[in-house]
Amino acid sequence: DTEVTQTPKHLVMGMTNKKSLKCEQHMGHRAMYWYKQKAKKPPELMFVYSYEKLSINESVPSRFSPECPNSSLLNLHLHALQPEDSALYLCASSLTAGGAQETQYFGPGTRLLVL
Amino acid sequence: QKEVEQDPGPLSVPEGAIVSLNCTYSNSAFQYFMWYRQYSRKGPELLMYTYSSGNKEDGRFTAQVDKSSKYISLFIRDSQPSDSATYLCAMSARDRGSTLGRLYFGRGTQLTVWP
């Protein structure tokens, strides 16, 4: 089973709201990723967690706050977002983040609209 | 110049045609090469994963890597309307001075197979 699940599938929020995106995998992977994807563009890396520790933050604004409560779960907390943050947010996981060979498996994404 | 170049298309072919999708790259550090298929408004799905130069076949799909030319291809035989999607090439390498690997994506090629 190579399944990564994400909830919710769709989210509409105002600029003053606080919301959270959730991601879960049960493949025993120890690396998890958040990506942002705009229409007709490739995914852009936001954060990497390796063994539940934040390893890469691609200079993402602080209105995005990641959290990795355990090795199977990854959250992305959203606060005071801007309309330009509207996008498909993808979670991915891989066995580890320690080697270039690790294949990443993506979830279906959460489509976010900020009004 | 981007590290991974991919013609965004769109590419439109009749059912049963052989489809050829290509990416070029400039970074010799890329070691692993992947093709992802992404249906509209869904997450990327891993199709093929290769390491060495040469061909790898899986059903109707063949991935080809030529490291000397820094060129990778994906061939789809007997294309079907269900193959209509965006195809993203991706390559992985370790960050300089880091033990962490990351993916570098092409822009994606939008493919339509019409009946």
Side-chain angles (χ1 to χ4, degrees), chain A residues 8-19 21 36-38 64 78 80-89 109-115, chain B residues 41:
Chain A
K9 290 184 180 178
H10 304 276
L11 180 61
V12 180
M13 61 187 291
M15 289 190 283
T16 59
N17 292 158
K18 286 185 181 181
K19 297 286 184 182
L21 310 184
K36 174 183 178 180
Q37 187 178 28
K38 299 283 251 182
F64 295 91
L78 314 173
L81 294 194
Q82 304 297 310
E84 59 264 29
D85 296 322
S86 299
L88 181 67
Y89 287 85
T110 292
R111 186 156 297 279
L112 174 67
L113 178 62
V114 181
L115 300 176
Chain B
R41 309 174 81 83

Side-chain angles (χ1 to χ4, degrees), chain A residues 1-114:
Chain A
D1 183 13
T2 56
E3 189 176 27
V4 176
T5 59
Q6 290 186 244
T7 56
K9 290 184 180 178
H10 304 276
L11 180 61
V12 180
M13 61 187 291
M15 289 190 283
T16 59
N17 292 158
K18 286 185 181 181
K19 297 286 184 182
S20 296
L21 310 184
K22 297 185 184 302
C23 174
E24 191 167 1
Q25 57 85 16
H26 294 287
M27 296 180 277
H29 289 177
R30 302 311 300 270
M32 297 185 78
Y33 309 78
W34 280 115
Y35 287 85
K36 174 183 178 180
Q37 187 178 28
K38 299 283 251 182
K40 299 190 184 299
K41 299 287 187 183
E44 296 176 21
L45 184 65
M46 299 174 71
F47 302 104
V48 179
Y49 273 84
S50 177
Y51 291 89
E52 296 136 61
K53 292 185 180 177
L54 184 63
S55 301
I56 294 177
N57 176 342
E58 290 288 274
S59 302
V60 178
S62 60
R63 57 186 184 268
F64 295 91
S65 175
E67 178 196 20
C68 189
N70 60 56
S71 60
S72 300
L73 293 174
L74 186 66
N75 298 321
L76 186 63
H77 303 297
L78 314 173
H79 175 54
L81 294 194
Q82 304 297 310
E84 59 264 29
D85 296 322
S86 299
L88 181 67
Y89 287 85
L90 294 162
C91 174
S93 71
S94 62
L95 191 59
T96 72
Q101 74 276 19
E102 296 301 345
T103 306
Q104 293 185 25
Y105 296 89
F106 284 82
T110 292
R111 186 156 297 279
L112 174 67
L113 178 62
V114 181

Side-chain angles (χ1 to χ4, degrees), chain B residues 10-26:
Chain B
L11 183 61
S12 182
V13 301
E15 183 175 357
I18 296 175
V19 175
S20 173
L21 305 167
N22 311 296
C23 288
T24 59
Y25 63 96
S26 56

